Amino acid sequence: MSDTTSHDSIDFDRYDRIRPIRWTGDALELLDQRKLPFTVEYVTCTDSDAVAAAIHALTVRGAPAIGIAAAWGVVLAARTVDADDGTQAATRLAPAMQRLNDARPTAVNLAWALARMRRVLAASGADWREVITREADAIASEDLAANRRMGALGAALIAPGSGVLTHCNTGSLATAGFGTALGVIRAGVAQGRIDKVYAGETRPWLQGARLTAWELQQDGIAPTLVADAAAAHLMSTGAVQWVVVGADRICANGDTANKIGTYQLAIAARHHGVKFMVAAPSSTVDMDTASGDLIHIEERDPGELFAVGGVRTAAAEIDAWNPVFDVTPHALIDAIVTERGVIERPDGAAMRAAFGG
Ligand SMILES: CSC[C@H]1O[C@H](OP(=O)(O)O)[C@H](O)[C@@H]1O
């Protein structure tokens, strides 16, 4: 795993104004991503079940972001239990933590964050409330640092003058800030490596058209929006040198779950000689899941396919199938970038060398 990075010429503060998750000390404020880009509005959660509902409803979304939100959900749940130490608290918090865990199945970051909160609870005494509050804050601050490092590592792979296509939203809205794949793109633009950014609309929830387009506009990086169906044709024109995407779960052999439509981008990219990069923090790596066929792919309400913005766009009285993730086999991935470094041509051996197991 290589680790050549250059943080120079990246003005992180310029690119880092959006915060989808705000802890007030008493409540968790979540930027309501169902309403972006036309309405910027925060939802206030004062208990853990409200956080679980917000994760399920995609009020807050994005693998790292839902882990961070769930960690603060545990802090809110702690308000409802009395316990002499962390072990007793963990037992009494278990039902609320299970409901947080069950909010969405595919992104490993949710379970990872809750497991981290359980670990510190088990090791804490009478100060367990302060301990879990510090841990939730650490999960968020470590994610921001990881994204900034990943941005530099990933951008270093991209030759100056490149065009890049991204999918879904993997920016500040999906993380503690700066983003994963969008962090690579922000860094690549800042360093003059990326001349053109294309964003796939990402049906049916339109994370690309609604969130990535809006988010990059805040940075003065206006992407060119493309229909999901136009991606392969775009690659055939030679306008794109890299496809850069995020991840929801990276398996022990490098197989990667990400937003539905990622797999076909990888197939088209390989056919057209376009490089394919996955950028994700190590909290997205799941060495306990051997391969992509074992990942639970979330299926959401088919109604998400029938309408856009509340306006029906599909014929009446038809069925729909709405899986919202798919799995890209590691053989189609040219590089996996985490904050620990770059894994080129990922496979089981490379993943074990980087992450153990
Ligand atoms: C850095 S976010 C990773 C991942 O999460 C998104 O899914 P969703 O919008 O359903 O939460 C998408 O798959 C991103 O690539």
Side-chain angles (χ1 to χ4, degrees):
M1 183 164 72
S2 62
D3 182 4
T4 56
T5 176
S6 158
H7 279 69
D8 59 17
S9 80
I10 303 172
D11 176 2
F12 288 111
D13 293 330
R14 171 182 171 218
Y15 293 114
D16 221 0
R17 294 189 297 271
I18 299 168
R19 287 291 181 270
I21 301 170
R22 296 188 312 209
W23 176 249
T24 68
D26 294 314
L28 187 66
E29 294 177 343
L30 301 174
L31 178 52
D32 191 342
Q33 300 191 36
R34 300 171 298 178
K35 298 186 175 179
L36 289 175
F38 308 114
T39 303
V40 178
E41 188 177 283
Y42 281 79
V43 169
T44 300
C45 298
T46 55
D47 62 72
S48 62
D49 284 345
V51 177
I55 291 170
H56 182 73
L58 276 65
T59 305
V60 59
R61 36 101 1 236
I66 64 178
I68 294 162
W72 286 118
V74 177
V75 176
L76 288 172
R79 306 280 170 82
T80 67
V81 302
D82 289 324
D84 297 331
D85 59 29
T87 300
Q88 197 177 68
T91 301
R92 294 175 180 172
L93 288 169
M97 292 177 76
Q98 189 60 51
R99 291 193 294 272
L100 285 164
N101 186 79
D102 294 346
R104 293 187 78 188
T106 304
V108 69
N109 309 65
L110 180 52
W112 169 86
L114 292 168
R116 182 164 160 175
M117 298 299 276
R118 276 193 291 273
R119 275 198 303 276
V120 295
L121 270 173
S124 58
D127 64 342
W128 63 272
R129 293 176 198 278
E130 293 75 18
V131 168
I132 60 173
T133 301
R134 286 197 299 271
E135 195 68 14
D137 190 55
I139 289 172
S141 56
E142 288 168 19
D143 183 68
L144 179 58
N147 295 338
R148 291 177 169 182
R149 177 156 177 71
M150 252 189 296
L153 286 169
L157 301 176
I158 299 172
S162 291
V164 170
L165 169 65
T166 193
H167 190 59
C168 197
N169 172 261
T170 60
S172 299
L173 290 170
T175 66
F178 199 68
T180 59
L182 274 197
V184 170
I185 288 171
R186 286 182 160 116
V189 168
Q191 293 180 342
R193 294 170 178 273
I194 298 174
D195 285 355
K196 186 83 173 174
V197 180
Y198 296 92
E201 60 182 352
T202 317
R203 276 189 55 79
W205 217 71
L206 300 176
Q207 288 92 333
R210 294 190 303 111
L211 306 181
T212 292
W214 177 80
E215 184 172 335
L216 289 181
Q217 275 178 328
Q218 313 310 308
D219 294 347
I221 307 173
T224 296
L225 186 65
V226 296
D228 298 325
H233 178 56
L234 173 67
M235 293 183 212
S236 74
T237 69
V240 169
Q241 282 64 51
W242 280 91
V243 173
V244 184
V245 298
D248 292 85
R249 191 183 295 252
I250 302 174
C251 298
N253 70 347
D255 291 350
T256 295
N258 196 51
K259 184 52 50 200
I260 192 77
T262 303
Y263 176 35
Q264 60 197 32
L265 290 177
I267 293 167
R270 185 55 55 88
H271 177 75
H272 289 291
V274 172
K275 294 281 192 181
F276 194 87
M277 182 191 307
V278 171
S282 56
S283 56
T284 307
V285 173
D286 175 11
M287 294 302 285
D288 294 330
T289 297
S291 55
D293 57 300
L294 302 173
I295 297 173
H296 178 170
I297 298 296
E298 179 184 3
E299 292 187 17
R300 294 185 65 87
D301 176 5
E304 292 180 356
L305 282 160
F306 294 148
V308 176
V311 178
R312 189 166 180 107
T313 52
E317 297 174 16
I318 57 171
D319 291 336
W321 180 52
N322 188 21
V324 293
F325 296 100
D326 58 25
V327 174
T328 298
H330 64 84
L332 292 177
I333 300 172
D334 293 289
I336 291 178
V337 179
T338 76
E339 73 280 12
R340 298 190 190 181
V342 178
I343 301 172
E344 299 196 71
R345 293 178 301 283
D347 60 12
M351 292 296 292
R352 285 189 297 276
F355 297 99

